[in-house]
């Protein structure tokens, strides 16, 4: 690749998981689900903030939270370098970076959330109107070293994502020029589900995406995957819930159902048992016991 050494997709994925484990945070890519590059490469990363504080605040202040995220997403062009700290209206601190490649939707990468620090650098973005943080939410404190090194690591992550996506786009363009590039129906279907499983999608919306009739889509999906569209969609949603449970996210069944794309908690509970043979609580207990045995 003309720009020299770059990490592979698998290495970038491991880098993101290492950051989450080291800093005890969660990475999410706002608006990443609108682009097939993101959903193809990293389908199990979040496209919304899942922290307990975020879920609590969005119940009453969804518009305000979204407005602040949008402002943070747009602020990268005004910052020196790329990575910067952002402090939301409720005092939660994130690290933010942007992958902005011409011709694709912009990726805005958030990491956190952390406790506010008074020694923020000059390029930090802080909401001028701060609400009082509810007492029952305890956010993680970054040490001085972590606070200094995280933007450096974040810039590396952003750079590697840029290189990966630029190379993939260049490869697609080169192949297309030779008239030998096309995305198979299998890839399109997988990407559509990966990128939209949290939304209210249906077989009909997939048919429109493929340019097929509903009946033809039904037959082809079963031919390709040996499953129905609903089975594929539910499986992807269950995998998201299983990830949250393995990592001990403290959220209600209703919240987990919502962020995993299920229309209601009872339906989520029923499908989870059907696919795993366990309730969500039983699965989490089993996962924690297995993790303890392997340590």
């Amino acid at each position: 690749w003309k720009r020299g050494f770059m990490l592979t997709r698998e290495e970038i994925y491991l880098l993101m998981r290492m950051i989450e484990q080291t800093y005890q945070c969660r990475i999410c890519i706002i608006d990443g689900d609108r682009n097939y590059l993101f959903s193809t490469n990293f389908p199990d990363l979040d496209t919304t903030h899942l922290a307990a504080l975020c879920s609590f605040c969005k119940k009453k202040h969804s518009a305000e939270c979204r407005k602040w995220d949008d402002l943070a997403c747009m602020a990268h062009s005004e910052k020196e370098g790329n990575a910067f700290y952002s402090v939301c209206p409720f005092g939660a601190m994130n690290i933010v970076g942007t992958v902005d490649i011409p011709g694709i939707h912009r990726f805005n990468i958030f990491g956190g959330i952390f406790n506010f620090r008074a020694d923020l650098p000059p390029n930090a973005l802080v909401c001028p109107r701060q609400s009082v943080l509810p007492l029952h939410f305890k956010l993680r404190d970054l040490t001085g070293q972590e606070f200094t090194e995280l933007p450096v690591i974040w810039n590396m992550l952003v750079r590697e994502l840029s290189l990966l996506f630029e190379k993939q786009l260049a490869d697609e363009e080169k192949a297309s020029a030779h008239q030998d590039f096309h995305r198979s129906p299998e890839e399109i279907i997988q990407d559509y589900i990966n990128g939209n499983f949290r939304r209210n999608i249906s077989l009909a919306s997939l048919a429109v995406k493929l340019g097929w009739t509903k009946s033809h889509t039904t037959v082809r999906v079963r031919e390709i995957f040996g499953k129905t569209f609903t089975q594929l969609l539910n499986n992807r949603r269950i995998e998201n819930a299983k990830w949250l449970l393995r990592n001990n996210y403290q959220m209600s069944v209703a919240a987990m159902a919502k962020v995993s794309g299920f229309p209601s908690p009872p339906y989520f509970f029923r499908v989870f048992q059907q696919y795993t043979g366990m309730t969500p609580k039983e699965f989490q207990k089993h996962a924690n016991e297995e993790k303890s045995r392997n340590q």
Side-chain angles (χ1 to χ4, degrees):
W1 178 235
K2 65 181 182 180
R3 292 178 64 174
F5 175 77
M6 58 179 284
L7 297 180
T8 64
R9 175 177 59 186
E10 292 73 21
E11 289 168 336
I12 294 173
Y13 180 84
L14 290 176
L15 173 61
M16 288 192 280
R17 292 309 186 205
M18 180 275 292
I19 291 172
E20 291 183 330
Q21 183 176 7
T22 302
Y23 297 93
Q24 299 173 38
C25 67
R26 183 70 171 170
I27 294 175
C28 67
I29 304 189
I30 305 299
D31 289 340
D33 57 340
R34 297 186 189 181
N35 187 275
Y36 78 91
L37 283 173
F38 169 69
S39 61
T40 301
N41 287 286
F42 309 106
D44 65 339
L45 291 183
D46 297 323
T47 55
T48 184
H49 296 289
L50 295 184
L53 173 63
C54 297
S55 299
F56 175 83
C57 293
K58 286 178 180 178
K59 288 180 180 178
K60 294 184 178 180
H61 308 282
S62 178
E64 189 173 0
C65 292
R66 180 65 192 184
K67 182 179 180 181
W68 182 253
D69 278 351
D70 289 343
L71 180 60
C73 289
M74 292 186 294
H76 76 287
S77 60
E78 302 171 7
K79 305 295 179 184
E80 296 180 7
N82 189 279
F84 62 93
Y85 284 107
S86 166
V87 181
C88 79
F90 300 93
M93 186 173 72
N94 292 275
I95 185 75
V96 186
T98 302
V99 179
D100 195 1
I101 302 174
I104 70 170
H105 195 83
R106 189 165 60 202
F107 296 81
N108 300 290
I109 309 174
F110 288 70
I113 56 177
F114 309 107
N115 232 340
F116 170 81
R117 288 179 63 107
D119 56 343
L120 287 167
N123 73 336
L125 182 69
V126 182
C127 182
R129 186 172 65 84
Q130 289 289 313
S131 301
V132 177
L133 181 68
L135 294 177
H136 59 287
F137 289 104
K138 303 297 182 183
L139 304 184
R140 184 175 184 270
D141 291 313
L142 290 177
T143 66
Q145 180 178 342
E146 290 173 334
F147 184 66
T148 302
E149 69 188 10
L150 186 54
V152 178
I153 296 174
W154 214 253
N155 277 329
M156 182 178 77
L157 173 60
V158 167
R159 183 183 68 247
E160 293 300 329
L161 284 169
S162 297
L163 288 171
L164 175 68
F165 294 143
E166 285 178 12
K167 183 179 186 305
Q168 289 178 344
L169 287 171
D171 288 346
E172 289 183 10
E173 184 177 346
K174 182 178 179 181
S176 180
H178 289 83
Q179 297 184 337
D180 61 0
F181 172 75
H182 69 279
R183 300 179 68 219
S184 67
E186 180 180 0
E187 291 175 318
I188 295 173
I189 293 167
Q190 288 178 324
D191 291 347
Y192 184 71
I193 291 175
N194 283 334
N196 296 279
F197 70 90
R198 292 185 177 92
R199 297 189 172 116
N200 184 28
I201 60 174
S202 64
L203 179 72
S205 61
L206 174 63
V208 172
K209 176 76 174 179
L210 291 163
W212 297 343
T213 64
K214 282 182 62 176
S215 58
H216 182 67
T217 303
T218 299
V219 173
R220 290 300 308 277
V221 167
R222 188 175 283 279
E223 285 179 350
I224 294 170
F225 297 97
K227 298 178 181 179
T228 66
F229 171 77
T230 299
Q231 289 172 328
L232 289 175
L233 180 58
N234 281 341
N235 186 68
R236 181 64 189 87
R237 288 169 169 173
I238 290 297
E239 286 303 313
N240 187 77
K242 286 163 67 175
W243 168 259
L244 296 172
L245 290 165
R246 286 193 194 100
N247 288 274
N248 294 306
Y249 271 81
Q250 301 301 313
M251 58 175 59
S252 65
V253 171
M256 187 166 294
K258 183 177 181 180
V259 300
S260 297
F262 287 96
S264 71
Y267 183 62
F268 162 62
F269 198 87
R270 185 169 66 253
V271 173
F272 193 94
Q273 282 189 300
Q274 178 185 343
Y275 278 63
T276 67
M278 293 178 276
T279 67
K281 186 171 290 186
E282 289 170 343
F283 178 88
Q284 187 174 47
K285 180 181 178 181
H286 177 77
N288 285 334
E289 289 173 349
E290 186 176 351
K291 189 183 302 181
S292 298
R293 287 194 297 268
N294 295 331
Q295 287 178 345

